[in-house]
Amino acid sequence: MNKKEFKPCDLVIFGVLGDLSTRKLLVCLYQLDKAGLLEPDTKILGIDRLPGNAELLIKTAQSSLKKFLSEPVDKASWLKFSARLNYLSLDLTKTEDYQQLNQYIDKENRILINYFSVPPSLFKVICQGLKKSGTLTDESRMVMEKPIGHDLASSQEINDAVADVFTGEQVCRIDHYLGKETVLNLLALRFANSIFTNNWDHSTIDHVQITVAEEVGIEGRWGYFDDSGQTRDMLQNHLLQILTFIAMEPPVSLKAEDIHYEKIKVLKDLRMITPENVTEKTVRGQYAAGAIKNQPVPGYKEEVGAKTQSETETFVALRADIDNWRWSGTPFYLRTGKRMPAKHSEIIVQFKQLPHNIFTESYADLPANRLTIRLQPNEGVEVDVMNKVPGIDEQIKIQKTKLDLSFSKTFKDSHIVDAYERLLLEAMRGNSTLFISREEIEQAWTWVDSMQNAWAVKGDAPKPYAAGSWGPDDACDLLKRDGRHWSS
Ligand code: BG6
């Protein structure tokens, strides 16, 4: 990362004592500071409801580092970092109170980055408070996180409220998957390697699988999660972002507008899910009690804070069809769930079989090439290739082998940065390539809404699956019907 690109800025975190901030933001900011990537005078002002002063935030940051940093805290870095922290207790719903902010910021000389680490119901009032208090300049930015809405209409409402105060260029909408090293590597893999670029469409690729399996359950967030479900929590954003990177046309450049333009086209081309095809194309599941790594875990409706009745899905699998020239006839199978056997995210690009087999001695049915992109853990790229078995047999014998590129082995000396480190830095740099545009979010909602509506019309409840399994059996049938199967 290049330090020269930095502009002086200060950061305000709304909801600094909340889950995202204490788990991620404070730790990532410390790491950026330790790496010398925060500008020397950058100040971090935390805002929350609890009464307190800088001491409260310093203590909070200290315990965050203790809990979530995977290495010992460096004393000198901590001293430098803690000196940047300040805290303001504010009732975020009282726009007149935002006046107090002015005494903490230097808007003449610094760019103000406002990180909204709060529920979307507060976005509007914070925007109004910032506007009324005269805290903002044309250079100020705001960063917001999912969930940006619950459906298209609510997302438009949030985006409208934000657009009242911030222009498009001032808004950074985060999907933390776009900060992940392996997701960004999809751009390199696709657009810097002719072997893939030239073999990347329906004529060579049979189908694509995108799996994002989580071992965790809902981590004490029953209230939030039961309103969302895995479709809104993971599919609408993270999986669709991965899909667009795999399916988009080559962008003209890496500039934000060029990448956004191509991603939007893919989202527009997704075939809508209807009440007529929803049963055949989608599967919803909800975990029941089971075991993960031999440890018993409760079912979804037995989690802390759960209600006894819920038809919210914790698993979803589906077939997505992209109606365009490149992908016609090549389905994308998407699958994501909580309480799966392991944390395991990967993309499988399954190439087509060759039209004729001359190695019938070795294989009656010649296996096709397969590209596996391991997103997490054990990040890397793997290609199944057919190879001659060494020897002087009368017939040439072949065998399926793997070209395996493991990132940790190949890039031994590189530190893999946390997605939030990268995205915080990009927000401070004012580079929006890795953020999502309004239109992308709204297109993604349009498609997801078609699925939610179809489920509502059919009234099907999610199928139970045992925690620690790969989801309901119906998820396997989804591919079986097409003569295919999941890779794991
Ligand atoms: C978040 C979801 O966006 O992503 C969580 O709200 C989920 O429910 C998390 O567990 C997964 O992120 P990662 O980086 O661990 O794959």
Side-chain angles (χ1 to χ4, degrees):
M1 284 181 266
N2 188 349
K3 199 175 169 200
K4 270 187 282 172
E5 290 171 32
F6 252 111
K7 284 200 186 149
C9 54
D10 287 336
L11 190 66
V12 176
I13 304 177
F14 293 92
V16 74
L17 304 179
D19 184 60
L20 173 70
S21 163
T22 50
R23 231 168 8 101
K24 282 284 177 196
L25 304 182
L26 293 171
V27 179
C28 290
L29 285 165
Y30 159 85
Q31 289 284 38
L32 288 174
D33 199 10
K34 186 175 163 217
L37 290 164
L38 289 191
E39 193 261 332
D41 297 330
T42 288
K43 299 261 175 284
I44 300 167
L45 174 66
I47 298 188
D48 220 307
R49 226 175 338 178
L50 204 70
N53 53 24
E55 200 50 35
L56 170 67
L57 185 55
I58 291 172
K59 284 212 170 108
T60 306
Q62 222 162 12
S63 65
S64 288
L65 294 182
K66 209 165 157 193
K67 213 160 152 195
F68 300 112
L69 194 67
S70 52
E71 60 193 36
V73 177
D74 176 72
K75 227 173 170 181
S77 307
W78 165 250
L79 283 177
K80 181 162 63 130
F81 179 65
S82 55
R84 297 177 186 274
L85 302 177
N86 209 343
Y87 180 82
L88 171 66
S89 160
L90 202 76
D91 179 348
L92 293 176
T93 59
K94 292 196 178 140
T95 51
E96 57 280 12
D97 288 5
Y98 283 66
Q99 207 60 40
Q100 298 175 60
L101 254 170
N102 278 307
Q103 56 184 293
Y104 291 88
I105 59 169
D106 172 7
K107 67 177 181 193
E108 303 305 320
N109 302 304
R110 337 266 311 149
I111 295 176
L112 189 66
I113 317 281
N114 299 278
Y115 201 117
F116 286 30
S117 182
V118 292
S121 52
L122 289 170
F123 287 4
K124 189 172 180 176
V125 69
I126 298 179
C127 284
Q128 291 308 321
L130 286 169
K131 188 177 174 180
K132 264 198 199 159
S133 61
T135 311
L136 302 173
T137 68
D138 290 349
E139 287 192 309
S140 306
R141 289 174 209 138
M142 73 87 78
V143 184
M144 64 168 150
E145 270 276 345
K146 63 170 263 278
I148 302 176
H150 196 252
D151 52 17
L152 178 63
S154 52
S155 127
Q156 282 171 331
E157 209 175 293
I158 293 171
N159 281 321
D160 285 347
V162 170
D164 236 17
V165 177
F166 295 97
T167 63
E169 294 80 58
Q170 290 178 288
V171 181
C172 308
R173 294 178 188 83
I174 285 195
D175 181 314
H176 78 277
Y177 268 54
L178 293 187
K180 286 186 190 265
E181 204 61 68
T182 42
V183 174
L184 290 178
N185 189 46
L186 295 175
L187 293 177
L189 206 63
R190 282 202 56 202
F191 305 123
N193 294 289
S194 61
I195 52 165
F196 296 127
T197 309
N198 296 332
N199 287 295
W200 206 261
D201 63 20
H202 66 95
S203 67
T204 49
I205 295 178
D206 178 72
H207 73 278
V208 176
Q209 296 180 16
I210 302 173
T211 296
V212 178
E214 301 186 83
E215 193 180 313
V216 293
I218 44 152
E219 300 181 296
R221 299 181 302 160
W222 211 87
Y224 153 75
F225 190 86
D226 200 54
D227 261 357
S228 302
Q230 194 74 350
T231 307
R232 294 187 174 100
D233 186 48
M234 294 292 289
L235 182 93
Q236 188 270 349
N237 34 76
H238 307 324
L239 275 88
L240 284 187
Q241 285 297 319
I242 297 173
L243 178 140
T244 57
F245 269 28
I246 295 286
M248 71 181 181
E249 294 301 313
V252 175
S253 78
L254 285 176
K255 283 196 195 126
E257 59 270 30
D258 295 330
I259 302 250
H260 291 162
Y261 174 73
E262 296 302 343
K263 283 161 74 190
I264 291 164
K265 271 169 41 191
V266 174
L267 293 167
K268 279 186 177 161
D269 291 342
L270 281 170
R271 193 181 304 161
M272 293 298 159
I273 312 275
T274 61
E276 290 69 43
N277 65 23
V278 70
T279 313
E280 159 209 333
K281 291 183 77 161
T282 70
V283 175
R284 291 201 306 150
Q286 188 186 79
Y287 62 83
I292 298 184
K293 300 198 172 118
N294 295 325
Q295 294 300 315
V297 291
Y300 176 66
K301 285 187 287 229
E302 294 136 25
E303 293 279 9
V304 178
K307 294 189 193 127
T308 50
Q309 293 298 317
S310 168
E311 298 210 334
T312 297
E313 79 285 347
T314 59
F315 173 95
V316 58
L318 59 91
R319 172 184 163 135
D321 291 283
I322 304 176
D323 286 329
N324 64 20
W325 200 271
R326 185 181 286 270
W327 294 115
S328 173
T330 295
F332 282 60
Y333 298 99
L334 275 51
R335 170 176 67 155
T336 178
K338 305 226 184 278
R339 292 283 197 222
M340 305 265 99
K343 186 173 177 76
H344 167 88
S345 303
E346 67 175 17
I347 302 164
I348 304 281
V349 179
Q350 180 64 55
F351 287 88
K352 288 192 166 164
Q353 274 191 318
L354 286 168
H356 180 61
N357 179 11
I358 58 172
F359 298 102
T360 45
E361 281 283 312
S362 307
Y363 289 98
D365 214 5
L366 193 64
N369 297 123
R370 162 184 284 203
L371 167 68
T372 304
I373 303 162
R374 297 189 301 263
L375 299 177
Q376 58 189 26
N378 191 16
E379 291 83 351
V381 176
E382 197 177 286
V383 189
D384 288 355
V385 287
M386 303 307 292
N387 221 56
K388 179 183 175 306
V389 180
I392 50 170
D393 309 272
E394 206 178 318
Q395 297 285 344
I396 292 181
K397 274 197 187 151
I398 62 165
Q399 191 183 308
K400 189 161 84 174
T401 47
K402 284 189 191 307
L403 293 177
D404 193 352
L405 170 78
S406 151
F407 292 172
S408 60
K409 285 188 197 141
T410 310
F411 303 105
K412 276 195 205 86
D413 301 326
S414 308
H415 157 66
I416 298 210
V417 294
D418 187 283
Y420 278 96
E421 277 178 57
R422 185 191 309 278
L423 295 172
L424 278 162
L425 199 60
E426 294 299 295
M428 291 190 249
R429 284 177 175 160
N431 175 7
S432 47
T433 305
L434 301 186
F435 300 114
I436 314 169
S437 68
R438 173 173 184 165
E439 199 177 349
E440 264 178 87
I441 294 209
E442 295 184 355
Q443 278 302 331
W445 275 126
T446 303
W447 186 67
V448 166
D449 281 359
S450 77
M451 189 157 42
Q452 299 280 3
N453 293 339
W455 282 332
V457 170
K458 295 299 279 189
D460 285 343
K463 308 267 179 333
Y465 65 95
S469 73
W470 285 102
D473 291 343
D474 299 45
C476 295
D477 298 341
L478 179 78
L479 270 73
K480 233 187 245 165
R481 280 198 290 278
D482 295 345
R484 302 180 175 113
H485 57 84
W486 293 106
S487 70
S488 47

